[in-house]
Amino acid sequence: MELRSAQIADVQQKLADVDGDERVRFWDGFSLIEAKSALKWLMKEVVATRVRCGVKEREVVEFTKQVSQERQQASEAAGIACEAQEHQDQMILINQRQQEAEDKEQRTGDQNSDQSPRGEQPQDGVEVPPETSFFSIPDIAPSPNKRY
């Protein structure tokens, strides 16, 4: 057993010597000036990379704010569109009711005209001239020949 342990220790020592020798051989190819120059270059690259990373992080924050604002604007626009659609639906409903009322009035007017001649007073006591209606607007445009 002791022989086996001695063999294992010997192999471990040989591996440690080879590993250490390779490290020494790698650094033997560089002078101290070259190593110092390489270290400076590496540090500059690290700093430049960190700066680029910081810039990208700020851009991400700005884009996140912009997306948030655009989402809010889209939400407001959707609300306005919904309100506009509701208003349009209400206007259609009002127009339909008005049309129904006009149709009903016309039907009752046709029934009254069959019963009494035009120009006479209806039952409620108000005479409606034949050329006017409830929704007519008088012509108020100025005459082109008239001087003011």
Side-chain angles (χ1 to χ4, degrees):
M1 192 65 142
E2 290 177 15
L3 179 64
R4 194 68 159 159
S5 296
Q7 288 175 342
I8 291 174
D10 187 41
V11 170
Q12 287 177 342
Q13 183 62 37
K14 286 180 182 177
L15 287 175
D17 290 341
V18 169
D19 189 34
D21 289 341
E22 286 181 16
R23 285 189 203 149
V24 170
R25 277 187 258 147
F26 177 77
W27 288 109
D28 283 343
F30 296 105
S31 69
L32 188 57
I33 295 172
E34 290 173 333
K36 187 176 178 182
S37 175
L39 188 59
K40 281 184 181 181
W41 179 80
L42 283 174
M43 291 304 293
K44 285 180 184 178
E45 287 299 312
V46 167
V47 169
T49 303
R50 297 278 305 203
V51 168
R52 284 193 303 266
C53 184
V55 168
K56 295 297 181 186
E57 286 176 356
R58 272 189 254 122
E59 287 177 359
V60 166
V61 168
E62 290 173 6
F63 287 139
T64 304
K65 287 179 184 178
Q66 185 178 2
V67 166
S68 175
Q69 290 173 350
E70 289 179 3
R71 282 182 181 165
Q72 184 180 5
Q73 290 173 352
S75 175
E76 290 172 0
I80 291 171
C82 184
E83 289 175 4
Q85 183 64 37
E86 289 176 4
H87 177 71
Q88 186 177 8
D89 292 345
Q90 290 175 353
M91 292 303 295
I92 290 171
L93 182 63
I94 289 170
N95 286 337
Q96 287 175 348
R97 288 180 183 170
Q98 181 181 0
Q99 186 64 37
E100 290 172 1
E102 288 176 359
D103 291 345
K104 185 177 179 182
E105 183 180 314
Q106 187 177 13
R107 279 185 264 132
T108 58
D110 289 344
Q111 290 174 358
N112 286 342
S113 67
D114 293 342
Q115 295 173 359
S116 63
R118 254 213 202 281
E120 292 184 10
Q121 291 187 356
Q123 295 175 358
D124 61 356
V126 177
E127 183 177 337
V128 178
E131 66 275 352
T132 62
S133 71
F134 180 73
F135 294 103
S136 66
I137 299 173
D139 186 18
I140 57 171
S143 156
N145 297 332
K146 193 172 184 180
R147 293 186 179 224
Y148 295 101

